[in-house]
Amino acid sequence: MNRKQKQLSMFFAAFILTITTMFSGFSMEAEAAEGQLGIDAEAAMLIDADTGRVLYEKNSDVVLGVASMSKMMTEYMVLEAVKQGKLKWDQKVKINEYVHKLSGAPGLSNVGLTQGEDYTVKELYEAMAIHSGNAATVALAEVLSGTEKNHVEKMNKKAAELGLKDYKFVNSSGLNNKDLLGQHPAGSPDEENVMSARSMAKLAYRLLKDYPEVLETASVPALKFRDGREYKNFNWMLPGLIYQYDGVDGLKTGSTDFAGYGFTATAMKNGQRVISVVMKADSKDSRFSETRKILDFAFSNFTEEELVKKNHQIKGKKTLPVTKGKEDSVKIQAKKAISMTIRNGEKDQYEPVLVLDKKKLNKDGELTAPIKKGEQVGYMTVKSKKDEKISFLTEDGHKEIQVPVVAAESVEKANWFVLAMRGIGGFFGDLFGGVADTVKGWF
């Protein structure tokens, strides 16, 4: 092999090595992005509870069993019915034979309910939310919808209304249908409720947004029931329980053989609230240890920052031209501040963006007087300077970081005489300009 051939061979080998390294690097980066926390569960998710911004996700669109975490849907529907006046907390519910038998079924989480006895909606709700009472959930489903079958239909309908995409409810409790004593309301005899981690996070997000009072019950470590017994909350990360974590005050655990062990948690520290989801962990304990990893990651790496101040004006876009007004322009500014949860130290990586309402402007991009102070002319949002996508849980999540842009002052409409003079001036200006152009053409 001559010298030239050796050089060519070495160059080719180096080229192959470079390409291999590049693609290997891309693969490692992709794996690191998905498993950066080393979460030992089939799926997981972390979101900011205020805006729904996605902070971490793993297999978030994979549909899995949710077990008792699906009770959050019945919680939502109970709270909604109370708010609408369709249900009262002190309303009495008489326990039928089926609910009574289910409450005593071995191996299921339950609070014992006596046949023929009256329990209030509040008692049943607390049994469901604190101790994951399956029979209590069925009793609530029946009082809400007449039958559990009707309730399951309403659960699926409500899921669609809330914007969930990957889900199927076949019963109200989250049990496997085979455990419902031959009275499963929908689906096959051994079917269970399923959802994706994204849909579970979205349900929790809407539950906290629409009915924050859900935490008043979800945060109770133990239920003292009328039978004199104390029933522990299955959320062992609450204060005083074995995996307690500072700031955790909800929401719901779940487990079946099919679903594995799941936990949808929420916690607040220093005014910052997050929601985490862990699905199909391999043990009762690991769902809490994996949740701890996620929450530690959230509170150690993310902070809510004010990215745009109130009354902010974007450089070069501080005014808009005005036609037919006493002034020929108007100052515009952000009506409110924009805050968003971001990674620590990355505040300078975001910039404001102005989006004007085209319906407010004429074909020349002008506002037409009169204009009132505070009148909205568009909105302001933020974007990454690196053009990285800011991901949100909901399709309209970006609206959470949009604030109105308004006129900072009023501009009155000019009177008819001023407008006429401007028209005459414009006419003679155009005429003079035309003559000047003609004269220039002579030379």
Side-chain angles (χ1 to χ4, degrees):
M1 184 182 291
N2 60 35
R3 184 178 179 184
K4 188 172 287 188
Q5 287 175 320
K6 284 183 179 179
Q7 288 177 334
L8 185 61
S9 177
M10 289 173 66
F11 172 79
F12 182 73
F15 176 76
I16 294 297
L17 180 62
T18 301
I19 293 298
T20 304
T21 303
M22 285 174 61
F23 279 98
S24 146
F26 291 152
S27 175
M28 288 173 64
E29 285 177 9
E31 288 175 11
E34 182 174 322
Q36 68 183 113
L37 299 184
I39 298 301
D40 187 15
E42 188 69 23
M45 200 158 197
L46 170 68
I47 65 165
D48 169 53
D50 291 328
T51 63
R53 185 182 179 188
V54 177
L55 307 179
Y56 169 80
E57 56 187 311
K58 174 187 176 182
N59 296 334
S60 56
D61 295 310
V62 175
V63 178
L64 299 167
V66 290
S68 285
M69 293 192 294
S70 53
K71 289 183 173 77
M72 287 194 292
M73 179 60 80
T74 297
E75 289 178 22
Y76 188 100
M77 295 169 73
V78 168
L79 293 169
E80 181 180 56
V82 170
K83 182 178 180 180
Q84 294 174 349
K86 297 177 180 178
L87 200 64
K88 294 182 179 179
W89 288 119
D90 60 358
Q91 185 172 328
K92 300 291 178 62
V93 180
K94 191 175 294 293
I95 300 303
N96 59 37
E97 182 181 7
Y98 168 59
V99 171
H100 162 66
K101 286 183 177 180
L102 185 63
S103 77
L108 306 181
S109 58
N110 267 312
V111 170
L113 302 173
T114 304
Q115 182 178 348
E117 192 165 330
D118 289 334
Y119 294 80
T120 65
V121 167
K122 185 176 182 181
E123 285 178 305
L124 295 172
Y125 177 85
E126 289 175 342
M128 172 181 68
I130 299 172
H131 192 63
S132 199
N134 291 295
T137 305
V138 174
L140 287 169
E142 291 177 348
V143 76
L144 278 169
S145 309
T147 65
E148 188 180 9
K149 182 177 181 179
N150 290 343
H151 185 69
V152 170
E153 291 176 2
K154 290 182 179 180
M155 290 173 78
N156 285 294
K157 183 178 178 181
K158 181 58 66 176
E161 289 176 10
L162 296 177
L164 278 57
K165 289 186 176 179
D166 305 305
Y167 64 88
K168 183 181 180 182
F169 293 103
V170 296
N171 60 58
S172 63
S173 63
L175 289 171
N176 189 292
N177 273 347
K178 68 177 172 22
D179 293 320
L180 295 176
L181 310 182
Q183 296 199 40
H184 65 276
S188 62
D190 60 351
E191 199 169 353
E192 291 188 22
N193 298 339
V194 295
M195 295 173 74
S196 65
R198 188 180 305 278
S199 288
M200 181 56 66
K202 191 176 292 186
L203 173 57
Y205 173 74
R206 286 299 304 270
L207 183 57
L208 288 176
K209 277 280 188 182
D210 298 345
Y211 304 104
E213 62 268 28
V214 68
L215 296 178
E216 295 173 8
T217 306
S219 61
V220 177
L223 169 67
K224 293 181 180 179
F225 205 58
R226 65 159 69 178
D227 58 9
R229 296 177 59 189
E230 185 173 272
Y231 298 87
K232 295 292 185 184
N233 196 317
F234 287 105
N235 175 2
W236 293 350
M237 297 187 84
L238 290 173
L241 302 184
I242 60 176
Y243 287 104
Q244 65 178 356
Y245 186 98
D246 184 31
V248 168
D249 51 6
L251 275 164
K252 193 73 192 70
T253 61
S255 65
T256 63
D257 291 341
F258 171 72
Y261 295 87
F263 181 32
T264 298
T266 184
M268 177 181 276
K269 281 188 180 181
N270 301 319
Q272 178 185 354
R273 179 174 290 281
V274 297
I275 296 168
S276 68
V277 177
V278 168
M279 296 181 71
K280 208 163 188 178
D282 60 10
S283 73
K284 190 177 295 185
D285 296 319
S286 67
R287 62 180 167 189
F288 300 119
S289 60
E290 301 312 294
T291 296
R292 179 178 292 275
K293 287 183 191 176
I294 296 174
L295 296 180
D296 283 346
F297 171 71
F299 294 122
S300 298
N301 291 275
F302 295 91
T303 308
E304 185 175 11
E305 296 276 4
E306 185 177 85
L307 302 179
V308 175
K309 293 185 178 296
K310 181 180 179 181
N311 300 329
H312 179 77
Q313 295 178 299
I314 295 180
K315 188 176 181 180
K317 299 178 181 179
K318 296 183 177 182
T319 63
L320 277 179
V322 175
T323 184
K324 297 184 180 180
K326 288 186 177 181
E327 308 293 337
D328 59 6
S329 67
V330 62
K331 293 178 182 178
I332 58 172
Q333 61 191 25
K335 185 177 181 180
K336 299 188 295 184
I338 299 178
S339 295
M340 185 172 72
T341 297
I342 62 173
R343 274 187 178 270
N344 296 337
E346 293 188 356
K347 186 175 181 178
D348 61 351
Q349 295 185 20
Y350 295 88
E351 61 184 357
V353 177
L354 174 65
V355 180
L356 295 172
D357 184 351
K358 294 181 180 180
K359 295 179 182 179
K360 293 273 187 176
L361 307 175
N362 63 18
K363 59 183 178 65
D364 297 317
E366 301 170 315
L367 292 171
T368 303
I371 301 164
K372 293 182 179 180
K373 181 179 180 179
E375 181 178 338
Q376 185 170 348
V377 298
Y379 67 85
M380 197 176 293
T381 186
V382 293
K383 72 171 186 177
S384 166
K385 291 180 180 178
K386 298 178 181 178
D387 289 327
E388 294 176 350
K389 183 181 179 182
I390 302 175
S391 179
F392 287 88
L393 189 64
T394 60
E395 292 178 1
D396 60 350
H398 285 275
K399 292 179 182 178
E400 297 287 342
I401 54 167
Q402 292 177 4
V403 297
V405 169
V406 298
E409 56 201 355
S410 295
V411 177
E412 296 181 17
K413 185 174 182 179
N415 61 42
W416 68 270
F417 180 76
V418 172
L419 293 175
M421 290 300 99
R422 286 180 185 171
I424 293 171
F427 170 77
F428 282 109
D430 292 342
L431 181 63
F432 178 78
V435 172
D437 290 339
T438 301
V439 171
K440 285 180 184 177
W442 292 347
F443 297 95

